[in-house]
Each structure stands twice: as structure tokens, then as C-alpha cells.
Amino acid sequence: MGSITLEKVSKSFGTTNVIPEIDLEIADGEFVVFVGPSGCGKSTLLRIIAGLEDATAGTIRIDGADATREAPAKRGLSMVFQSYALYPHMSVYGNIAFPLKMAGQEKPAIDKKVRDAARVLNLTDYLDRKPRQLSGGQRQRVAIGRAIVRQPKAFLFDEPLSNLDAALRVNMRLEISELHHQLKTTMVYVTHDQVEAMTMADKIVVLNAGRIEQVGSPLDLYRNPKNLFVAGFIGSPKMNLITGAAAAKENATTIGVRPEHIGLSKREGPWQGTVTVVEHLGADTFVHADVDGVGPVTARAPGEFAVKHSERVFLTPEAEKIYRFGENGDAL
Amino acid sequence: MATLQTRSAARLMMTPAVLMLFVWMIVPLAMTLYFSLLRYNLLMPGMEEWAGTLNYRYFLTDPAFGAALLNTLLLVGGVLLITLVGGTLLALLLDQPFFGQGIVRLLVIAPFFVMPTVSALVWKNMLMHPVYGIFAWIARLFGLQPVDWLSSLPLFSVTMIVAWQWLPFATLILLTALQSLDEEQKEAAEMDGAGPVSRFIHIVLPHLARAMTVVVLIETIFLLSVFAEILVTTNGGPGTESTNITYLVYAQALLQFDVGGASAGGIVAVILANIVAIFLIRLIGKNLEA
């Protein structure tokens, strides 16, 4: 009840081709995250699935049935927008009840569903308020409430957390993950934040310039990035990508080492460098160093690592955790 | 306006302007009040004498007053109705993307720039004239008897002329309001299963409420004092069929030379305008609260 299939879907605005041709399978109950830099076409892809944008070519199947030409409301999907898109003149109750009212349901049935949704989302005390009287997180929950009352086949989230402050974002991330475990409904989630993607997704779709770079589980992408783009995009801080002599030694054009796979020492190691910046986070220490003959490298030391700007440090990349990339950027 | 000094300095600086505006308002009002209590006729200069409330009794019991009051309300109400409904429809139309949008918008706004006397004359002589007006020509085209608009339907004709002038204003205000409606809200409603009509009723109309309030308030202020259109077309006639309060005051002062009576009428008009204003603010003012 909620599988979505894209077959050879492409999209052009005028002569600009934003999505060349995409095939994608989203299984029932899956939490899929589209991630990529801004302008990579991830929101457009979501809007094509929602029906707010027409695909230029290709077929969209929802539960096996062709939905390419179907109106948005008929597809049985609901969407949570970046700006929440709450109706400002309606109360929270009115907002959540709106899709049910449009579906022509009976008043008592609507009332029950709205109150159930409000209970799930902790909104019971706010049902009479107007959206402008709510905080950002509460507005977000109302938007989610409006999406869940329809019992859709799938939820579409368009960067829903980007308007929230950092602390709230972490909270809402957990709430949405929890909601997914409760409802077990397919969710398609668009974000440019790879942390959101890594923490929430069952399956991540990495997009770049309208093309799918790689599809896989978060750890799969972390362990086996298919190319330079995915390697650089997934993981925080970013993977160190090194070219030149150091890479040539490994028979590759570029080598990549994640900061967490570099050992730090003040006494010995194959790489020697000068510290440029140190970030002490308490649990971790990020050391940015300019390594002789290699270039700038970021390394992560667990716990506290006492080192200061312009000191000399030694770095040891773990040999089996070095990724090798060929001339065209693909992993070797 | 942070400190005490800046605040008092600001007050001091504003005083001349406020004083001037106050004098500008209070002197004519006081003089009108004073004249309204005199027996003051231009045909008998120098014979002014105290008349008490006689002018008011005379003006309020004049059968023309009742007719003028009703006409004023009908004119204001009729024009508001036409401009609000027509303005909303036109705004919806102009909000759609189409070729030549800029030119069309400019054309739609144009009537607002035409002077009331000019537009009234154009309507009177080129459109509504029973012999060589366009409406008469259209009627004859279908073999119908041409209507003499200004003598058989005088108030309706005046309403049409004034509505034609104010339609662009309503359209303009409502169009800008439409354009400020969040696109995602419309899309959300679409996803929620609302068709075009439901979207209009549940999303667009509530969004337009504030702009409509502004249109109603501003238009009412101007429509209560419609004068040029009536003077140019019907002269308030036939009889008093298209006389409004403003025109009645004019007739009292400059056709009957009764300054005292006209002043009383002016004061009555001021009170009436205030009643309408209070009524409107009560009725729709809450739309203006953020």
C-alpha cells in the first residue's frame, strides 16, 4: 500500500533539462531520502511525484497503477511543505480538518480523526489557536497532522526542517522517525542536509544535477561510495580528497580518507603537517592540518587532543579505509 | 524615539504640522456650525439673524432629504457591490499568465485616471444618449426601443458611471493581494483535494478579506461625496431621483442661496458619514487587525 515507481522520468523547463532520465523504485513502508546540493532537482522530483509538476516524459506508478496524468489529490499522497503552508485564517483544528472536509467526510468522523491526529502530535491543547500563535515546531507538527489525517499511501516531505533552529531540528528529526515507525507508511523526504539523510533514511538517493549518483542504505553509502561526489557529500566532516603524488602512490587519480580514519599523533606517522585550526568539541577534536606534500587534511581524534595552531602533528591514514578514485571520479 | 529628549524633540517638531491640520479642520467646521444656526440667505445680504434649530428642522423635514439619504446609501452600496465582485473577478483574470499582460493591466487601470466630469460626459453623450449613444445603437441593432438611461433609470446610470471609475481601484488592490498569496498554500490545498472553487472559497477569499476591507473603507469615504457625476449628467433629477446628500446641500446653497440651510445640511452629512464609518469599522474593522 504505497510503493512508488519512477520509469524513465525526465523534466525540462523550456529548453533547460533539469532531470535527464530517472528510474527509481520506492518500496512500501520505506523511508527514502533524496539528498543533494541545492538546485540538484530533488525538490522538482518530489513535486513530480506529488503531481504539482508534470513529468516531461516517463511514467510514475503508485501501487502499480499509472498515475502520471492523475491530479495531485487523486494520487493519495500528502505533502509537508518547507514553509508549512498552513492556512492562516483557520485554526489548528480547521487546518487539520481541511483535507477531510474536502473529501466530503461526515462531521463526527472528521472530529474523531482530527483529535486522534492531535493526540499523536501533542497538539490537543492548541486546536483552537491560529497558526500565527504557534511556534515553528508546533506549526511543523500541524502541517504533519494535516498530512496524516488523510491516511495517505505515502508522505512527501519537502525540506520540512530547514526553517527550524538547530535544537528543534534534532527534535523534529526524532519525531518524524518515530512517526514513521508508528505509521509504517512510505515516506519520501527531501533535504540538502546529509545528517538528516543519514539519521532518518532506510534508503538514501543521492542526486546531483538531476542525475541519481547512488542509491543505498546510509551505511552502504558511507562505506562504499560509488564516486567522488557521493564520497564528498556523505559523512561529516567531509572526506579528505587528495590528489597528486600521494594518490599516485596508491595507483589512483584521487584518494579519499575520512577524518575519522586518520590517526593523530605528536610523535610519529607517515604524514607530517602543521596545524592550521583545531576545533575542540569535547567528545571529538577536529584537527585541520596542512600536510607536507599532500595538502590540507582534516583529522578527527576521539576525546580531547591537546594541540595548538602551528604545532607539528603526525597523521596515520588507516590503510584499509583509503578509497581510490579513477580519472572520471568513479571508485576503483 | 529612544530617549526622553528625542521624544520631546519629535513632539516639538510635529507641533506646527498638527496645529495647522487642526486649524484647517476646526475653522470650517466651527463656521459651518455657526452658519447653520443663522437665517442666512444670499438674496438678503446683511439680514442674518439667529434662527436656532430652524434650519435643521427645515432640512430634516424636507421630503427631498429622505429621498437623498436613500439615494446616497443606494449609490454607495451599489458601487461597492459592483466594484468588489467585478474587481475580484478581474483580479483573478489578470493574475493568470497571458500574452500582453502588462498592456492589459495598464488598460484596466486607465479609467481611474479619467476625471469624473470627463467620464460622466463621455457616458452621457457617447454611451447613454438615447439618440446617438452606443447603447441606443446596440438596442436598435436588435430592433429594440432605445432606453433613455439618464431620465428613466437615473440613479442606476449614475451608479454605473461611478462604478466604472472605481472598478480599477478595487481591481488593483485585490490584484496585489492575490499576488501576495503564498503559492505553497494553493498547492497544499490542491494536495488536500480542494478543487478550483473550494480553493477560491476557502483559501483565496479569506486571504482577500483584508484588501476588501481597505477597498470598502476607502471607496465609502469617496462615494459618500459623489457630486461631479450627478451635476454633469442628471442634475439630481428627474425630481430628486438621483439627488444624494452632497447634491442636496449644493442645491440648497447655490441654487436656493440658503447658506444657513445648506450649512445645517453639511453638518447632517458629517454626522451621517460618521455613523456610516462607525458602522463599517464595527462590521469589518476586525479584518484589519494583524
Side-chain angles (χ1 to χ4, degrees):
Chain A
M1 268 310 292
S3 64
I4 300 169
T5 313
L6 306 183
E7 289 168 9
K8 294 192 169 33
V9 168
S10 68
K11 174 74 186 172
S12 305
F13 290 109
T15 51
T16 354
N17 187 240
V18 284
I19 296 175
E21 202 174 88
I22 274 186
D23 288 285
L24 185 66
E25 191 82 41
I26 296 168
D28 179 32
E30 227 174 3
F31 198 126
V32 176
V33 174
F34 293 172
V35 69
S38 52
C40 71
K42 55 191 190 298
S43 280
T44 310
L45 194 60
L46 191 77
R47 291 166 60 83
I48 290 173
I49 296 175
L52 294 171
E53 214 74 73
D54 284 325
T56 311
T59 316
I60 298 150
R61 289 180 198 285
I62 297 172
D63 280 337
D66 186 351
T68 318
R69 299 269 157 249
E70 200 105 65
K74 296 271 165 59
R75 299 189 183 195
L77 310 173
S78 31
M79 184 149 164
V80 175
F81 291 86
Q82 183 175 1
S83 68
Y84 320 133
L86 299 179
Y87 311 128
H89 54 278
M90 296 183 201
S91 63
V92 169
Y93 185 98
N95 266 285
I96 300 178
F98 188 72
L100 301 174
K101 214 165 95 185
M102 287 300 110
Q105 296 201 5
E106 297 287 326
K107 271 232 168 84
I110 293 179
D111 191 65
K112 188 180 173 309
K113 283 182 187 171
V114 172
R115 288 186 191 284
D116 285 348
R119 192 156 352 97
V120 171
L121 295 164
N122 284 326
L123 286 169
T124 309
D125 295 340
Y126 306 106
L127 281 175
D128 297 328
R129 300 244 188 122
K130 291 281 172 64
R132 66 167 179 274
Q133 296 165 313
L134 301 177
S135 69
Q138 288 166 339
R139 284 181 208 183
Q140 184 61 70
R141 285 210 291 273
V142 176
I144 294 173
R146 195 173 61 184
I148 63 176
V149 280
R150 291 173 59 204
Q151 292 163 324
K153 292 174 188 160
F155 292 104
L156 311 176
F157 291 93
D158 188 5
E159 306 213 16
L161 305 186
S162 51
N163 286 349
L164 300 177
D165 63 60
L168 209 51
R169 207 176 300 169
V170 175
N171 265 336
M172 285 307 296
R173 215 161 69 196
L174 293 175
E175 280 186 37
I176 293 176
S177 292
E178 220 175 278
L179 196 70
H180 180 239
H181 290 303
Q182 261 179 50
L183 300 173
K184 300 190 177 10
T185 312
T186 314
M187 292 191 177
V188 184
Y189 188 106
V190 162
T191 180
H192 58 263
D193 182 354
Q194 60 92 22
V195 178
E196 276 176 30
M198 292 295 283
T199 50
M200 301 167 84
D202 292 325
K203 187 160 95 181
I204 296 180
V205 177
V206 182
L207 287 154
N208 181 27
R211 279 188 327 276
I212 295 183
E213 296 285 352
Q214 191 172 1
V215 180
S217 73
L219 286 180
D220 191 26
L221 296 191
Y222 178 79
R223 287 192 198 117
N224 308 307
K226 237 174 161 176
N227 53 35
L228 272 175
F229 181 80
V230 178
F233 201 79
I234 300 290
S236 173
K238 268 183 70 164
M239 184 189 274
N240 296 298
L241 297 170
I242 299 154
T243 51
K249 230 169 36 190
E250 304 277 343
N251 291 323
T253 315
T254 312
I255 55 167
V257 196
R258 296 196 186 278
E260 53 270 41
H261 298 146
I262 296 178
L264 271 166
S265 159
K266 280 187 173 175
R267 283 182 301 277
E268 55 189 1
W271 291 353
Q272 206 186 83
T274 311
V275 175
T276 51
V277 177
V278 191
E279 296 172 301
H280 296 284
L281 300 181
D284 294 302
T285 307
F286 296 141
V287 178
H288 302 268
D290 200 5
V291 176
D292 309 336
V294 171
V297 169
T298 306
R300 171 180 177 181
E304 287 162 37
F305 184 78
V307 71
K308 280 203 285 288
H309 171 73
S310 79
E311 275 184 58
R312 298 290 283 177
V313 285
F314 296 89
L315 300 97
T316 317
E318 294 174 30
E320 68 275 24
K321 295 277 172 63
I322 295 177
Y323 299 93
R324 294 159 60 241
F325 301 96
E327 211 167 326
N328 57 0
D330 285 345
L332 295 172
Chain B
M1 300 271 166
T3 66
L4 210 60
Q5 272 117 325
T6 51
R7 228 174 307 158
S8 47
R11 264 195 216 129
L12 195 69
M13 295 300 204
M14 280 193 310
T15 309
V18 173
L19 260 183
M20 180 146 167
L21 282 173
F22 182 73
V23 170
W24 199 267
M25 184 225 30
I26 203 68
V27 170
L29 186 66
M31 282 180 73
T32 312
L33 257 175
Y34 173 62
F35 289 152
S36 73
L37 298 172
L38 291 182
R39 215 173 82 90
Y40 184 173
N41 196 306
L42 291 178
L43 295 180
M44 298 176 282
M47 292 182 61
E48 296 84 37
E49 59 184 26
W50 189 253
T53 56
L54 180 73
N55 283 325
Y56 287 95
R57 259 180 287 153
Y58 174 78
F59 189 81
L60 291 171
T61 53
D62 184 355
F65 171 71
L69 182 60
L70 185 66
N71 286 341
T72 306
L73 296 178
L74 283 177
L75 182 64
V76 173
V79 173
L80 280 179
L81 190 73
I82 295 173
T83 51
L84 274 186
V85 174
T88 308
L89 295 177
L90 269 176
L92 282 174
L93 202 65
L94 292 177
D95 197 31
Q96 311 298 320
F98 59 87
F99 179 74
Q101 204 176 26
I103 298 277
V104 172
R105 280 186 190 165
L106 194 68
L107 287 176
V108 169
I109 310 305
F112 202 47
F113 293 104
V114 179
M115 281 169 271
T117 39
V118 175
S119 92
L121 276 175
V122 168
W123 275 83
K124 181 187 182 184
N125 293 326
M126 297 174 76
L127 296 171
M128 288 176 161
H129 197 280
V131 179
Y132 34 78
I134 287 180
F135 295 158
W137 178 79
I138 293 173
R140 276 194 296 273
L141 204 65
F142 292 101
L144 299 170
Q145 182 70 33
V147 181
D148 188 357
W149 294 94
L150 290 171
S151 52
S152 51
L153 297 164
L155 189 64
F156 175 77
S157 304
V158 172
T159 306
M160 289 307 293
I161 296 169
V162 178
W164 180 80
Q165 281 187 320
W166 282 94
L167 193 57
F169 173 75
T171 307
L172 199 65
I173 301 275
L174 293 172
L175 179 63
T176 51
L178 264 188
Q179 286 169 340
S180 73
L181 178 55
D182 180 19
E183 201 60 36
E184 283 198 342
Q185 250 182 57
K186 282 190 265 182
E187 287 175 352
E190 202 179 336
M191 293 289 294
D192 283 344
V197 178
S198 314
R199 277 210 295 281
F200 177 72
I201 293 172
H202 294 290
I203 310 297
V204 178
L205 265 191
H207 177 77
L208 289 183
R210 188 183 294 193
M212 284 181 167
T213 310
V214 171
V215 169
V216 168
L217 291 178
I218 293 183
E219 282 196 10
T220 306
I221 293 169
F222 287 94
L223 294 177
L224 279 171
S225 57
V226 164
F227 174 72
E229 292 85 344
I230 296 175
L231 181 75
V232 170
T233 54
T234 62
N235 265 316
T240 53
E241 271 185 58
S242 60
T243 299
N244 65 356
I245 300 275
T246 320
Y247 193 83
L248 190 64
V249 171
Y250 156 79
Q252 199 77 34
L254 295 168
L255 301 181
Q256 298 173 30
F257 306 107
D258 179 7
V259 175
S263 298
I267 296 298
V268 170
V270 169
I271 292 167
L272 271 178
N274 276 294
I275 292 173
V276 171
I278 290 167
F279 182 67
L280 275 180
I281 292 285
R282 284 236 153 166
L283 199 67
I284 57 178
K286 65 175 178 358
N287 284 343
L288 291 179
E289 284 157 25

